[in-house]
Amino acid sequence: MTTRARLAISRPTSGACGKTGSWRVFRPVIDREKCNSCGICAMFCPDGVISEDIQIDLDFCKGCGICANECPKKAISMEREEK
Amino acid sequence: MTEIPREEYILKCTSACAGCSDSLTLRYVLKAAGPETVLVVPACCTSVIQGIYPHTAMNIPVYNVAFAAAAACASGMSAAFQAAGKKANVIVYAGDGGTVDIGIQALSGAFERGTDFLYICYDNEAYGNTGMQRSGATPVGARTTTTPSGKIQVKKDLDGIVAAHNPPYMATACAAYPKDLFSKVQKALSIRGPKFIHVLAPCPPGWRFSSEKSVEMGKLAVRSGMWILYEREFGKVTINGPSKAAMIKPIPLEEYLEPQGRFKGISSEAVAMLRSQAERNAMRLKKEEEGIC
């Protein structure tokens, strides 16, 4: 343990940069009626917070809006977060 | 085309800016490389987004080194793995500053030695993590914090420099085409020797466009012919689909330049220089593909 501490090794941890969801100004909201689960939003999500069954992890979603912009069905809208 | 694995090798979540195409690129690079991978990262955005000591968001071994030493470090690492009889992918993941300007002699040295590794340069065309200073990869006319009225010099032809080393595999990719990037990384890792992939990574705060346009901007770069997707395998050039389409019918260059704040008020001479450079590159690659030169 002591040698590890001296070597300055970081260990993989979930939430290593905190809950980045707090950065969000706009929140992605999925319209399930329009969504056909193609997975393009999950493919382009830079942080990989959209799961296989198109559930967005709002603890970590930074609200960049790429998913809403790339959705071919326009099923995702960005709504302002209330304070 | 093989299925893209579901496993993520970056834990939620890095501290990259919202809409960062560096983390998008890294996601697909690691998906293609798999768990038997060591990442060598010089000073660049990737070295600051990993997390705060003693925690990291990277779920694979990452070695952070000094700016100029990435490729040299990877050379040693690759040799050590070989000596120990271990099979692991050594990947250098460096920004454009650490490749085009500061790391170029280490890169050249490693390619000359024939180190078995993959060098990935993700290019956001400036020193992003220190606040967008100009780099050798900044295109002409782009405003950065050190070129407030637009850069005068043209972008350094990094691919030309790497191609002069005759590597067994080199390619260009773009963060907006993750499937293409994935298959290129897989192909590169299946070949022995020094490999190189140059990835265009649009940077929302640096290029001054809103974060949701990050992927769109990458697509516009390819469609307007400003970025050409191609592979060079043992000297044979193949231009990939999206760029082939762009060579036949490109969209106007203005459609790529206008949404970006860094090209605001660009002079017509600079636009002409950008256009002629893109056309020259396209012409040269086309000729190389046909085997004329």
Side-chain angles (χ1 to χ4, degrees):
Chain A
M1 198 59 213
T2 46
T3 46
R4 276 183 184 177
R6 253 185 273 133
L7 281 172
I9 297 171
S10 291
R11 300 278 158 198
T13 329
S14 188
C17 301
K19 293 255 164 93
T20 49
S22 62
W23 300 7
R24 205 168 49 235
V25 181
F26 291 96
R27 178 180 67 238
V29 177
I30 304 170
D31 183 348
R32 298 280 165 195
E33 301 264 290
K34 286 188 195 163
C35 175
N36 63 352
S37 306
C38 63
I40 286 178
C41 52
M43 181 169 95
F44 283 121
C45 179
D47 293 300
V49 297
I50 306 179
S51 66
E52 198 86 340
D53 51 347
I54 322 297
Q55 297 291 338
I56 301 175
D57 187 344
L58 289 174
D59 279 350
F60 294 104
C61 167
K62 294 168 184 166
C64 65
I66 291 179
C67 49
N69 202 46
E70 294 303 317
C71 180
K73 295 278 177 194
K74 296 275 162 256
I76 304 177
S77 54
M78 299 303 287
E79 287 173 16
R80 187 171 271 278
E81 290 276 359
E82 304 92 45
K83 288 219 173 117
Chain B
M1 160 92 221
T2 45
E3 192 71 12
I4 293 177
R6 277 184 216 171
E7 285 84 37
E8 298 283 348
Y9 297 98
I10 306 176
L11 299 173
K12 291 170 194 169
C13 189
T14 62
S15 62
C17 309
C20 179
S21 42
D22 162 26
S23 48
L24 178 61
T25 308
L26 190 54
R27 254 184 84 203
Y28 283 90
V29 167
L30 295 182
K31 273 170 189 270
E36 298 297 309
T37 302
V38 182
L39 216 56
V40 180
V41 178
C44 61
C45 286
T46 312
S47 58
V48 293
I49 66 172
Q50 291 164 16
I52 303 154
Y53 176 79
H55 304 297
T56 174
M58 312 296 235
N59 210 1
I60 51 135
V62 177
Y63 195 63
N64 288 293
V65 285
F67 228 141
C73 170
S75 266
M77 208 177 260
S78 171
F81 278 132
Q82 223 161 25
K86 281 186 189 156
K87 222 186 127 34
N89 304 315
V90 179
I91 300 181
V92 176
Y93 193 71
D96 58 302
T99 308
V100 174
D101 299 338
I102 303 171
I104 197 155
Q105 60 84 16
L107 170 70
S108 177
F111 272 73
E112 189 268 330
R113 283 190 293 273
T115 301
D116 181 23
F117 81 133
L118 169 62
Y119 197 109
I120 296 174
C121 167
Y122 65 97
D123 188 353
N124 66 350
E125 305 191 320
Y127 287 87
N129 109 58
T130 48
M132 286 328 258
Q133 288 82 10
R134 96 194 256 291
S135 80
T138 308
V140 63
R143 287 164 190 264
T144 62
T145 45
T146 44
T147 54
S149 54
K151 194 186 170 196
I152 305 160
Q153 299 84 0
V154 294
K155 181 174 172 128
K156 197 191 269 188
D157 184 9
L158 177 64
D159 300 319
I161 296 170
V162 175
H165 293 80
N166 279 324
Y169 183 83
M170 66 172 288
T172 58
C174 177
Y177 297 86
K179 281 183 185 165
D180 174 72
L181 171 69
F182 177 86
S183 57
K184 278 172 179 167
V185 173
Q186 268 198 334
K187 193 186 264 182
L189 291 174
S190 68
I191 298 168
R192 263 189 77 84
K195 287 88 61 179
F196 180 78
I197 299 180
H198 194 181
V199 186
L200 182 73
C203 170
W207 295 14
R208 300 179 206 169
F209 59 83
S210 58
S211 63
E212 78 270 10
K213 290 211 169 75
S214 189
V215 167
E216 196 184 313
M217 210 54 71
K219 286 180 180 167
L220 287 176
V222 171
R223 283 189 199 142
S224 62
M226 278 301 288
W227 190 255
I228 301 167
L229 301 174
Y230 68 95
E231 303 171 86
R232 186 180 268 120
E233 256 176 289
F234 300 102
K236 200 194 168 312
V237 174
T238 322
I239 298 169
N240 301 121
S243 282
K244 237 177 201 163
M247 278 176 185
I248 297 162
K249 199 167 182 269
I251 61 164
L253 184 57
E254 285 71 23
E255 270 183 50
Y256 171 62
L257 302 183
E258 250 159 41
Q260 297 180 42
R262 63 172 181 160
F263 287 120
K264 202 174 169 196
I266 186 175
S267 65
S268 51
E269 293 91 52
V271 175
M273 272 165 96
L274 277 173
R275 185 173 286 128
S276 72
Q277 199 190 10
E279 278 167 5
R280 233 185 4 252
N281 277 344
M283 192 72 87
R284 200 193 63 225
L285 283 167
K286 227 187 230 169
K287 279 185 178 164
E288 274 190 57
E289 193 188 28
E290 287 160 6
I292 298 170
C293 77

